[in-house]
Amino acid sequence: METSETTAISDLWEMLQQGPRRTLAQAAVDEFGKRGFHATTTRHIAERIGMSPAALYIHYPSKADLLFTIAKIGHEAVLNESLAAVEGISDHHERVLSFVRTFTAWHAVNHLLARVIQYELHSLQPDHLKEIAAIRRRTADFAAEEFRHLVSDTSKLRMRTVACLSLSIDVARWYVPGKSPAPEELGAEYAQLVIAMLRS
Amino acid sequence: METSETTAISDLWEMLQQGPRRTLAQAAVDEFGKRGFHATTTRHIAERIGMSPAALYIHYPSKADLLFTIAKIGHEAVLNESLAAVEGISDHHERVLSFVRTFTAWHAVNHLLARVIQYELHSLQPDHLKEIAAIRRRTADFAAEEFRHLVSDTSKLRMRTVACLSLSIDVARWYVPGKSPAPEELGAEYAQLVIAMLRS
DNA sequence: AACAGCTAACTAAGCGCTTGCTTACCTTGC
DNA sequence: GCAAGGTAAGCAAGCGCTTAGTTAGCTGTT
């Protein structure tokens, strides 16, 4: 075959056509994810890709805007992958399994990006945060809608949704590539745990 | 009665006798918790308690040392409260319930301090981190030992321990005092979820 | 009662350095 | 010859932290 099957999997950065804008964003994710937004300087990011600090400002108006771009791409990616994960599945139980597997594995594979989008919200400018919050709400609402079919007591749906998402999101905090379980393994195991939580 | 019963509950800051050293630490927790360590300046902390930035350096050798002091107090507090929660209880099931209730409620009540000790580890100096990591290991080992009695498949103990602790730790990320459930209510609910996860 | 002597606690001012970002200029491929 | 994409140098502002000096309260002696 001409193109491998893996390239067919949605590329996180597809909305940024390849070029210096994408290279900068990817470098920034690594730095922001490891040190945090405020501890990372424009010199750190530039140094990592062998450019001068001034290069950043050709492609982004500010460091804050670079963070916003990353946050937007990350949040849209995790939402789209979640929606795609349940597409074509009719059984409620299977839909939840597939969603949690994907959502969890995403936070393991992209744990540096996940750290940025989950733990750097307070570093966003107010207008940027507002736009990001809207995407987050869509993701949370989607999860609650999927979980609803497995929770008998409706009054507990909200708290359980938060709890189930917590499980996967917190993966970004502790995940260490070589040391932690493989993303798919983790996703499969966590999917079982979420089912247990929802049905209890 | 002369002294109220509530004052008998272990004070987080008891190892810092009351005075400017404690006042500074408490102010720093609020600022670090809301904005993050690197986004917080010594001027922010000083302003909050109506002092000059120089006052900090009479009581702490550096901003980094102030973070370390906070991290140490926080980690020791959560460990001690966890140990105290199971004291005198013999039934394994009841011990786990009490531990998770306490551990979860602590992260809700002290969510700003919890954010600092859980999400600012990378802001600690290497030597400081080493000392903090030792306390964290004791807490994790304690939890695993308690959970062991409820997990039938021993090979899954490690991953499930991480998952169960994740649930409570992540509370610090999203908890909003007036809006979120009361700490005890949350603790009781999460304790049930942890039991469901461990037994599944 | 008066007062020197000491200490703990604090401030005003500012130093040296780093930060995000700008400017003026250079290079390369069409 | 002209965009597109880059750099070297550096600016204004803000950073952690220091210095020199002030203030309030306690203590022992007369």
Side-chain angles (χ1 to χ4, degrees):
Chain A
M1 43 183 175
E2 300 248 346
T3 57
S4 83
E5 197 63 26
T6 54
T7 58
I9 290 176
S10 71
D11 181 7
L12 256 172
W13 305 100
E14 62 190 342
M15 60 183 294
L16 252 51
Q17 57 262 51
Q18 62 181 28
R21 212 173 131 78
R22 183 194 285 203
T23 309
L24 276 161
Q26 290 171 328
V29 164
D30 289 347
E31 295 294 323
F32 291 167
K34 270 176 188 153
R35 278 194 281 222
F37 175 74
H38 280 107
T40 303
T41 68
T42 55
R43 285 159 180 85
H44 286 140
I45 299 166
E47 210 163 289
R48 166 176 276 265
I49 52 177
M51 284 185 174
S52 79
L56 193 154
Y57 294 91
I58 297 166
H59 304 283
Y60 294 92
S62 66
K63 186 188 162 197
D65 199 87
L66 176 52
L67 174 65
F68 172 61
T69 303
I70 290 168
K72 196 172 176 188
I73 289 175
H75 278 96
E76 283 177 351
V78 77
L79 172 57
N80 289 335
E81 287 213 22
S82 297
L83 294 173
V86 301
E87 213 173 37
I89 304 174
S90 54
D91 181 61
H92 296 317
H93 185 268
E94 286 297 329
R95 284 174 69 94
V96 169
L97 279 175
S98 180
F99 163 57
V100 177
R101 267 199 309 264
T102 302
F103 191 77
T104 305
W106 191 91
H107 280 80
V109 171
N110 308 292
H111 65 282
L112 286 178
L113 173 55
R115 270 180 217 175
V116 178
I117 76 170
Q118 301 292 358
Y119 303 130
E120 295 286 359
L121 292 176
H122 59 79
S123 301
L124 288 167
Q125 293 173 0
D127 55 328
H128 288 164
L129 177 59
K130 209 174 164 188
E131 191 170 336
I132 294 298
I135 310 175
R136 291 178 68 84
R137 218 169 296 121
R138 285 178 62 201
T139 307
D141 288 349
F142 163 75
E145 202 52 47
E146 293 298 325
F147 292 159
R148 155 170 273 121
H149 302 97
L150 299 188
V151 176
S152 51
D153 186 348
T154 315
S155 72
K156 291 187 171 176
L157 177 63
R158 195 158 209 89
M159 204 192 280
R160 298 244 170 138
T161 300
V162 171
C164 291
L165 293 182
S166 266
L167 217 57
S168 305
I169 289 169
D170 195 63
V171 167
R173 180 179 58 86
W174 55 262
Y175 197 83
V176 181
K179 207 173 143 200
S180 304
E184 313 82 46
E185 188 192 346
L186 195 67
E189 187 69 30
Y190 270 35
Q192 294 296 335
L193 295 179
V194 164
I195 295 290
M197 288 168 71
L198 294 175
R199 288 229 195 270
S200 77
Chain B
M1 40 182 178
E2 300 247 348
T3 58
S4 84
E5 197 63 27
T6 54
T7 58
I9 290 176
S10 71
D11 180 6
L12 256 172
W13 306 100
E14 61 189 342
M15 60 183 293
L16 251 53
Q17 56 262 52
Q18 64 181 27
R21 211 173 133 79
R22 184 192 286 201
T23 308
L24 276 161
Q26 289 170 329
V29 164
D30 288 347
E31 295 295 322
F32 291 165
K34 269 177 189 153
R35 276 194 282 223
F37 175 74
H38 281 106
T40 302
T41 69
T42 55
R43 286 159 181 84
H44 286 141
I45 300 166
E47 209 162 290
R48 165 176 277 266
I49 52 177
M51 283 184 176
S52 80
L56 194 155
Y57 294 89
I58 297 165
H59 303 284
Y60 293 93
S62 67
K63 186 188 162 197
D65 200 87
L66 176 53
L67 174 64
F68 172 61
T69 302
I70 289 167
K72 196 173 176 189
I73 289 175
H75 279 96
E76 284 177 349
V78 77
L79 172 57
N80 289 336
E81 287 214 21
S82 297
L83 294 172
V86 300
E87 213 174 37
I89 304 175
S90 53
D91 182 61
H92 296 318
H93 185 267
E94 286 297 329
R95 284 174 70 94
V96 169
L97 279 176
S98 180
F99 163 56
V100 177
R101 267 200 308 265
T102 302
F103 191 77
T104 305
W106 191 90
H107 280 80
V109 171
N110 307 292
H111 66 281
L112 286 178
L113 173 55
R115 270 180 217 175
V116 177
I117 75 169
Q118 301 291 358
Y119 302 130
E120 295 287 359
L121 291 176
H122 58 80
S123 302
L124 287 168
Q125 293 174 358
D127 56 327
H128 287 164
L129 177 58
K130 209 174 164 189
E131 190 170 336
I132 295 299
I135 310 175
R136 291 179 68 83
R137 219 168 297 123
R138 286 177 61 199
T139 306
D141 289 349
F142 164 75
E145 200 54 44
E146 293 298 325
F147 292 158
R148 157 170 272 122
H149 302 96
L150 300 189
V151 176
S152 51
D153 187 349
T154 315
S155 72
K156 292 187 171 176
L157 177 62
R158 195 158 208 89
M159 204 192 280
R160 300 242 170 139
T161 300
V162 171
C164 291
L165 293 182
S166 266
L167 216 57
S168 306
I169 289 171
D170 196 63
V171 167
R173 181 179 57 86
W174 56 262
Y175 197 82
V176 181
K179 207 173 143 201
S180 304
E184 313 82 45
E185 188 192 346
L186 196 66
E189 189 68 30
Y190 271 34
Q192 295 295 336
L193 295 179
V194 164
I195 295 290
M197 289 168 70
L198 295 175
R199 290 227 194 271
S200 80

